[in-house]
Amino acid sequence: MKIFKDIFIMKGDSMFFNKKNKELKKEVANLTAINKEYEEKCEYYQEKYLQIKTEYVEALKRNENFNNAFRESFSELSSKLISVEITLSKLEEKNKEFSKTETLVRKFQDLEGDLIKLSREIGRLSTFLEKHTNFNKETSTYQANLEKSYRMFK
């Protein structure tokens, strides 16, 4: 009986091991499927990673190109700004000269007005001088006539 008992135990153990073996095989199959799924996901994510990395490198290159273009544009704009500032400075100098010219024009206009007044005054003085000269001529003629008359009566 002990042998039957041992055989029964062995058979029971064998059934237990078979059952456990089947469960383990199922679990291994399940884990293999899960592993395969993870490997596929890993490959997918590696491809995505490479794609994103490639896009990132391309974006860095575009950014570098953009930065270079921006620097060149900024440099050109800086040069143009300096040119504009120089032109503005020249215009300010010309404006000062124009202001000086305006002041000179006003002074010239004032002088012109003074010259017109002087011209009128000279005209009046000329008329006065003419009358005075005529008066002197008349007086000289009168004096000469008086002297003649005086000599005649003397």
Side-chain angles (χ1 to χ4, degrees):
M1 270 233 199
K2 190 171 179 185
I3 293 179
F4 288 117
K5 198 175 181 186
D6 285 340
I7 289 177
F8 182 72
I9 291 174
M10 285 171 102
K11 197 172 185 179
D13 284 345
S14 173
M15 283 175 35
F16 174 76
F17 284 121
N18 282 339
K19 186 179 177 185
K20 283 292 180 185
N21 195 20
K22 281 183 184 178
E23 287 175 6
L24 286 174
K25 282 183 180 179
K26 279 183 185 177
E27 197 170 323
V28 165
N30 190 21
L31 288 174
T32 303
I34 290 172
N35 189 37
K36 186 175 181 181
E37 185 180 324
Y38 282 128
E39 283 177 355
E40 288 172 358
K41 284 183 180 179
C42 186
E43 284 177 26
Y44 171 79
Y45 287 120
Q46 281 179 336
E47 287 175 12
K48 279 293 184 187
Y49 170 77
L50 289 175
Q51 180 184 358
I52 290 169
K53 185 177 177 182
T54 303
E55 289 173 4
Y56 175 73
V57 168
E58 289 173 1
L60 283 176
K61 287 178 185 175
R62 284 192 307 271
N63 190 35
E64 179 81 19
N65 292 338
F66 174 78
N67 285 340
N68 289 337
F70 179 78
R71 281 187 202 103
E72 288 175 19
S73 295
F74 186 77
S75 177
E76 287 177 27
L77 286 175
S78 295
S79 297
K80 288 180 182 178
L81 179 62
I82 290 169
S83 174
V84 166
E85 286 175 344
I86 290 170
T87 304
L88 182 61
S89 176
K90 288 178 182 176
L91 285 174
E92 286 173 349
E93 287 178 25
K94 286 187 179 185
N95 188 30
K96 287 178 185 176
E97 289 176 15
F98 181 73
S99 294
K100 289 177 185 176
T101 304
E102 274 185 334
T103 304
L104 289 174
V105 166
R106 273 191 243 115
K107 286 182 180 180
F108 178 75
Q109 288 171 344
D110 291 344
L111 286 174
E112 190 178 32
D114 291 344
L115 284 174
I116 290 171
K117 288 177 188 174
L118 282 173
S119 175
R120 286 183 191 144
E121 191 62 31
I122 288 172
R124 276 190 233 123
L125 285 172
S126 176
T127 303
F128 175 76
L129 196 59
E130 246 180 71
K131 287 180 182 177
H132 185 68
T133 304
N134 285 342
F135 178 75
N136 277 345
K137 282 182 185 176
E138 288 173 12
T139 305
S140 292
T141 306
Y142 180 71
Q143 187 177 1
N145 286 339
L146 273 178
E147 284 179 9
K148 238 190 210 181
S149 295
Y150 176 73
R151 274 186 245 147
M152 282 183 34
F153 287 112
K154 203 177 174 186

